[in-house]
Amino acid sequence: MLKSKHLIGLENFPTSDLNKIIDTSFKFKEILEGSERKVNLLKDKTIVNMFFENSTRTKISFTLAEKRLGADSINFSSSTSSVKKGETLKDTIQNIDAMKIDGAVIRHGHPGSALKLTQYIDGAVINAGDGSHEHPTQAILDMVTLKEKFGKIKDLKVGIIGDILNSRVARSDIFALKKLGAEIVVCGPSTLLPSNAKNLGVNITYNIDEVLSWCDVVIGLRIQLERMHLGRIPSKREYHSEFGLTYERINKLKKDIVIMHPGPMNRGVEIDSKIADSENAVILDQVLNGVASRMSILYLLLADKSQKL
Ligand code: CP
């Protein structure tokens, strides 16, 4: 149903596959919003969710999507597994594959870990975030949210604010938005912008007010507080004052701007609570669209051809 066997990243993912996943997500959203929220399109399929890093949204969303599709869903958590006894990633994965699984979802701190998994697993592999490399399913749910809100993505003006350097969400969003024809400006402290930003095909500004007055939609990124000791951000207070999505900034725009955030949010640092909870924010729509998008991805990668939606 897709040209691709796996979903590892969006950089080299066919645009036709990306569009098919987005369009099919809307059909699953209708199902999720109806009275019969369960379909048996993946009956007899077994999917293992392997989370080597913490997650709330992605893990629950995949588990829910699998259950809604009628698949057998197994959750593997590294903190309670034999990884703690020193087992390697390769051995862990080969043992899981020996139990005859049809698909694997992996989140891991190392860039390239999802790709590595494809060497050891016969079934489809889906990247749920690999270090600072990519988070393709987050970007797909973001595209579904944008298309739902604006009816199109082509020529949309999108600002991405924050830690672009370390953000797998920013990278996957940029690849998806470029494939779909949006214009992108990234903004953040110079210490958190990659030196090759121009190669990513995006414009850069260090002035948040400039990007806010230009864009239709702004994606705020989580400031990775664990990196503050590296000296990349002087303090939470200064970051908030220079790059925060504050009530004062958004209010003075006098235009409707759509606010997105992948979560988890640091309220009072990259975004004010008043903005996160405002009418302009579609942050919880993103979460619901995450379930629909992951149903679409799992269905298109794993369903037998006879299972028509
Ligand atoms: N957006 C996202 O990936 O959130 P989690 O880390 O909670 O999965």
Side-chain angles (χ1 to χ4, degrees), residues 54-59 107 135 138 262-264:
N54 294 345
S55 167
T56 299
R57 280 147 290 269
T58 313
K59 190 172 177 183
R107 169 169 291 191
H135 193 348
Q138 175 69 45

Side-chain angles (χ1 to χ4, degrees), residues 9-110:
L10 294 179
E11 186 170 12
N12 300 309
F13 199 67
T15 306
S16 57
D17 280 0
L18 177 60
N19 275 317
K20 198 165 192 176
I21 293 172
I22 294 169
D23 292 344
T24 310
S25 300
F26 289 107
K27 296 189 185 160
F28 281 111
K29 180 129 190 214
E30 268 179 46
I31 292 172
L32 287 176
E33 289 178 330
S35 53
E36 191 73 48
R37 286 182 292 176
K38 199 161 174 172
V39 282
N40 273 328
L41 295 166
L42 291 188
K43 181 166 69 73
D44 301 328
K45 303 285 181 193
T46 304
I47 302 162
V48 180
N49 303 313
M50 292 185 249
F51 280 75
F52 294 84
E53 253 190 7
N54 294 345
S55 167
T56 299
R57 280 147 290 269
T58 313
K59 190 172 177 183
I60 294 177
S61 182
F62 266 113
T63 309
L64 203 54
E66 288 151 11
K67 288 182 190 297
R68 296 268 189 257
L69 288 165
D72 290 322
S73 178
I74 316 283
N75 280 319
F76 162 93
S77 169
S78 61
S79 59
T80 52
S81 75
S82 292
V83 169
K84 285 282 166 207
K85 299 178 195 162
E87 188 169 63
T88 63
L89 180 61
K90 178 180 170 185
D91 280 332
T92 302
I93 290 164
Q94 283 184 326
N95 277 273
I96 291 173
D97 194 46
M99 297 182 217
K100 302 283 173 221
I101 59 161
D102 300 292
V105 174
I106 181 167
R107 169 169 291 191
H108 199 287
H110 285 289

